[in-house]
Amino acid sequence: MAEGRTVSATELTDKDKWALKICLSIGESLADLISHNDSKKDFTKKYGRVHLSRDAGLGLAGAKLQRDALCTRGRQGKAPYSNRNLRWHPLIIAMETPDYAEEVEEVTTDNKSLVFIIDGDLWYPKDVHKLPKAYCTPFDKWYTIKDELVQWTQEDWTNNSCVIPAMEHSTLEYSVETFAILGISIVSNFYNVDPLKSYNVTLEVFKEHHYSPSSEYPKQSDIVGIILCPLCLTPLNSPPANLNLPVREEVFQAPWRRAKRGEGEAGSLQLFHVVPLKESEIYHTPRLVRYGHRWCNVTTADHSVDETVDFMRAVVEAHERKRRDVR
């Protein structure tokens, strides 16, 4: 994985700036709905803060909403993945080019730099964020240079961290709207804000920025589904399925490293895709992205909520049959 920041992390197009400023306004407007100043500061620090960069900045510059709604994940392995990037970044990689993108003609190298040939022009990593639409470099395009790339160092990969996985790609509009939906969920569950008020505030912000939400943006009547865990259908500030969970036994943690044990708790908050992401379609949308409990998110694995519920039902029925047979 690229050890440093993604290439051109602080270089933003006018459209990038516009999107990030809408999200900044959403974060500030949601914070204004929180009654207590300490809680307002807490929300801004943990969730609502927006950094004007492609990768949410260093450390906690950009908070959780920006990292989850607007940015791709950090990736491992010797590959040109960005170490976080905007989800609408226009250069993607996939097994096959999806319908929503055009195919890169060729990918080659020039003095330890990737070069993407698009419509006859040469595009280097530092400039690919300026591409006017989505382009994909599919699996087979990498074959001619694979023997050279396997020799690259971590520094070489950091200097070329300029693509995102097609699976995590979304549009600018869907990403901004997802930021708003996740923000509504947070302030409603953890800061005692009326969900209808928070929903209406997002519409006001959109209007102020002359932005019209897409057809994927949930309606006001869908507000209950926005604020509950998608699988167990309980509030995020309650344990999964409202169960009394046993306390996890302490395990050794190196005292010189930052502890992340809280992230592994069953009830901890995780980004949740109601339908699993795939390369051929865009599923990171405000209709399909929620926050959920970690236990519930892990349970779905790479399946949809509906498929998971069907699986659970089959498991319960199998155990019921076994109990009847024992009797």
Side-chain angles (χ1 to χ4, degrees):
M1 181 180 76
E3 293 181 322
R5 299 183 70 180
T6 188
V7 173
S8 300
T10 59
E11 299 297 320
L12 298 170
T13 66
D14 289 341
K15 202 168 183 183
D16 296 336
K17 294 175 185 175
W18 177 68
L20 291 173
K21 286 176 180 177
I22 293 176
C23 293
L24 180 62
S25 295
I26 291 170
E28 292 173 344
S29 297
L30 290 174
D32 286 342
L33 296 176
I34 300 171
S35 56
H36 299 291
N37 282 335
D38 287 347
S39 296
K40 189 176 300 188
K41 291 176 183 176
D42 184 75
F43 166 76
T44 300
K45 179 181 178 181
K46 292 180 179 176
Y47 302 102
R49 188 164 51 196
V50 173
H51 188 266
L52 296 182
S53 69
R54 309 192 66 78
D55 61 353
L58 298 173
L60 298 177
K64 186 171 176 60
L65 292 178
Q66 181 176 5
R67 296 194 303 271
D68 289 345
L70 308 185
C71 296
T72 61
R73 296 172 296 164
R75 297 291 297 261
Q76 294 183 350
K78 288 193 170 185
Y81 294 119
S82 294
N83 191 6
R84 291 197 176 277
N85 207 332
L86 294 174
R87 286 186 182 267
W88 60 88
H89 182 68
L91 188 59
I92 63 176
I93 53 178
M95 286 301 295
E96 298 180 357
T97 300
D99 291 341
Y100 60 80
E102 294 194 19
E103 192 162 302
V104 170
E105 294 166 26
E106 183 183 352
V107 58
T108 184
T109 61
D110 175 18
N111 192 27
K112 292 292 183 74
S113 174
L114 294 172
V115 182
F116 301 89
I117 302 176
I118 300 172
D119 297 331
D121 295 325
L122 306 184
W123 288 82
Y124 286 77
K126 66 182 180 64
D127 294 320
V128 295
H129 66 281
K130 301 175 185 175
L131 285 165
K133 53 187 174 183
Y135 287 89
C136 179
T137 309
F139 181 82
D140 61 339
K141 298 285 184 180
W142 297 91
Y143 247 80
T144 58
I145 59 173
K146 66 181 179 64
D147 292 336
E148 177 185 351
L149 297 185
V150 78
Q151 304 298 325
W152 280 14
T153 65
Q154 290 286 8
E155 182 180 0
D156 295 330
W157 286 114
T158 295
N159 294 334
N160 286 275
S161 58
C162 64
V163 305
I164 65 172
M167 185 178 292
E168 296 184 50
H169 178 76
S170 187
T171 67
L172 178 150
E173 293 78 13
Y174 288 164
S175 302
V176 168
E177 293 172 20
T178 297
F179 184 101
I181 290 301
L182 295 180
I184 292 169
S185 175
I186 292 297
V187 296
S188 302
N189 277 281
F190 301 108
Y191 296 93
N192 200 32
V193 173
D194 182 340
L196 289 177
K197 282 186 178 180
S198 58
Y199 179 88
N200 289 332
V201 154
T202 66
L203 297 183
E204 291 171 10
V205 172
F206 290 151
K207 187 175 181 180
E208 289 169 4
H209 288 268
H210 308 288
Y211 175 77
S212 298
S214 71
S215 59
E216 287 281 299
Y217 199 67
K219 304 300 182 186
Q220 191 180 76
S221 57
D222 300 324
I223 195 68
V224 173
I226 292 172
I227 64 176
L228 299 179
C229 175
L231 183 63
C232 71
L233 302 180
T234 57
L236 300 175
N237 56 6
S238 301
N242 274 325
L243 294 174
N244 290 320
L245 303 177
V247 177
R248 295 169 69 207
E249 183 178 300
E250 288 288 334
V251 296
F252 176 81
Q253 297 286 337
W256 55 90
R257 300 183 62 184
R258 185 168 69 91
K260 292 188 176 182
R261 181 174 172 81
E263 298 175 9
E265 297 292 344
S268 66
L269 199 66
Q270 287 193 347
L271 189 66
F272 198 121
H273 289 90
V274 176
V275 175
L277 298 176
K278 56 194 296 189
E279 291 188 341
S280 59
E281 303 284 346
I282 295 176
Y283 284 157
H284 185 83
T285 79
R287 182 174 61 87
L288 299 175
V289 181
R290 297 288 181 267
Y291 275 133
H293 302 110
R294 179 181 183 275
W295 191 357
C296 299
N297 196 25
V298 170
T299 299
T300 60
D302 57 352
H303 297 280
S304 70
V305 168
D306 288 344
E307 290 168 340
T308 304
V309 171
D310 288 342
F311 170 75
M312 289 175 166
R313 183 179 294 114
V315 170
V316 170
E317 290 173 353
H319 280 269
E320 290 296 336
R321 287 195 299 270
K322 182 178 179 181
R323 286 171 184 164
R324 286 196 299 268
D325 292 344
V326 169
R327 292 180 197 143

